[in-house]
Each structure stands twice: as C-alpha cells, then as structure tokens.
Amino acid sequence: PICWFRGAFDNASGVAAMLGVADALARGGYAGPRDIVFTSHTGEEYGALEDDYSWCQGAWHQVANTHRGWGSTVPFYLNIEASGHPHLPLRVEGPPELRAVAARVLRDAAGRGGVPVGWLYGPPVTGTEAWPFQLCGIPSVSVYSWHRRFASTDYHTTNDVPAIVDVDHLAALTRTYCELLLAAAASGHRLLDAGARARQIRRFATVLDDPTDLIEAAEIYGRHPSRDAFAQPRRQSRAK
C-alpha cells in the first residue's frame, strides 16, 4: 500500500532548521576559515535495486559523483534531520573522533535550555545522509529528534502534520546546530579526537585471537591524527 503524508516533521522541520542556520550565519556576517555549503538531498531511503549503496542515493551521488573532491577536502559534514518534536530527545550520531566537540557544544546548549528534551550520542547509521559522506571519508554528524517508540506510532504516517512540531523547540535546536557547525569550523586540526578511536579499537580488539597489528595501527593513528588518516580506512572499506 502507498501512504501519502505531509512530512511536516520528517523532514520539513529539518529543512527549516537548515535554512535557519544559513539565515543566522548570513545575518551574522559569517567570515570563518572555510566556506560552508548548504545542500538538501532526495532519495534518502529508496535506492537502486542490487546496488551496494541502496540507502541515501541523493547524498551518495552528490559526494561520490558530482563532487568527488569533497572526500579528500571537506573537514566536516552536519546532517540535519527531523527536529523539534516536543517529546523526543535529540539523537546525535557520529564517529568517536567527533564525540568530544559535539559533547562540548551540547553540554553548553543543554545548560541554557538549547536541547529541551536531552540528547544522546551514538554511532552513525545507514538511514541518514551522513552515511555515504562517512564512506567517502568525510567526518560527519547527524542530528535529529528521535525515540524508538516514535517509530511505531507517528513515524511515516498521516499523523506527521505541522501540529506535532514545537516551533520554539525547533528554534532552540536550530541555534544548537548552528553552534555545532561553528565549533567544528573553528576547531581546525583539533576537530578530530583520534585518541577516542584508538581507545575504541583497543576495547573491541580483545575478541580477536591476535589483535596486535590492529592495536598498533590504532595507536599510531591516535598519536598522529590527520584528515587523511581519518579518510583512509573509509576509502579502503568503500573499495572492498
């Protein structure tokens, strides 16, 4: 069966937040160290049949075909999804390397009410546009209001109408997204916490019969972090 719905929360609210960030930076006269590109994608959840990358076709085509150079030059990608539901906490998804900068911004935002229902940091998932950006080697964070219970009630149904979006809540999150983007832009070479990845690998490598080589590689990465070092394993996994 085909169900048509307005999509006010998923994802008109995310698009509104993106436009709000762009407007705030323009009005504030942003003159940071890097240009910021604002983009919106289609084909998030339905891709080509028998395709290895069947999720997020719009984002995948953009970063793997239209702008192939982004994978080696773009230092950060912020993916804004559905936001502003008054009863759903903020889900923040990204690699361990970005947890420190995200947590710093979110803790500050929470202290002034900028994250009204709390937040949780977790690993990237395939269902957001950040996934193909990660595969191409771009450090990425997805932000959206979410809870598992929502998936079995209003998610992708005709209940997704403007009334379920709290505009004040959305405005607070939009300011937080703007702060996260600016913090990433200002971090420069300190953006990636490679030590966090090294610690994660050490923790999970204990299940291997001989984790020595993997742990040694993680330690080297932790001591000598770089944009290229972050991108290399993603490019290798993509090639496989």
Side-chain angles (χ1 to χ4, degrees), residues 42-201:
T42 189
E44 178 193 16
E45 294 165 339
Y46 302 98
L49 292 175
E50 299 180 0
D51 192 313
D52 289 339
Y53 302 100
S54 58
W55 291 86
C56 305
Q57 281 292 299
W60 176 254
H61 189 274
Q62 181 184 54
V63 73
N65 295 283
T66 308
H67 298 285
R68 295 180 63 88
W70 284 4
S72 59
T73 59
V74 173
F76 180 73
Y77 169 61
L78 178 63
N79 177 53
I80 301 176
E81 299 268 352
S83 300
H85 192 295
H87 306 303
L88 303 180
L90 181 65
R91 178 81 180 177
V92 185
E93 296 170 346
E97 289 94 332
L98 292 174
R99 183 184 184 107
V101 65
R104 184 175 72 250
V105 171
L106 291 162
R107 282 195 296 265
D108 291 343
R112 56 165 175 74
V115 191
V117 195
W119 61 277
L120 175 67
Y121 193 93
V125 299
T126 58
T128 76
E129 283 87 346
W131 186 254
F133 277 72
Q134 297 275 16
L135 288 179
C136 286
I138 300 173
S140 306
V141 167
S142 284
V143 287
Y144 57 103
S145 301
W146 184 254
H147 192 279
R148 187 175 300 174
R149 64 176 179 269
F150 180 72
S152 58
T153 55
D154 297 340
Y155 181 56
H156 282 187
T157 74
T158 53
N159 294 326
D160 190 349
V161 296
I164 72 172
V165 179
D166 184 310
V167 176
D168 291 336
H169 186 167
L170 178 60
L173 290 179
T174 299
R175 177 179 173 182
T176 299
Y177 299 160
C178 191
E179 292 170 345
L180 178 57
L181 185 61
L182 290 174
S187 294
H189 68 279
R190 297 177 289 104
L191 175 62
L192 298 176
D193 178 11
R197 173 69 68 179
R199 291 189 294 273
Q200 181 196 60
I201 291 175

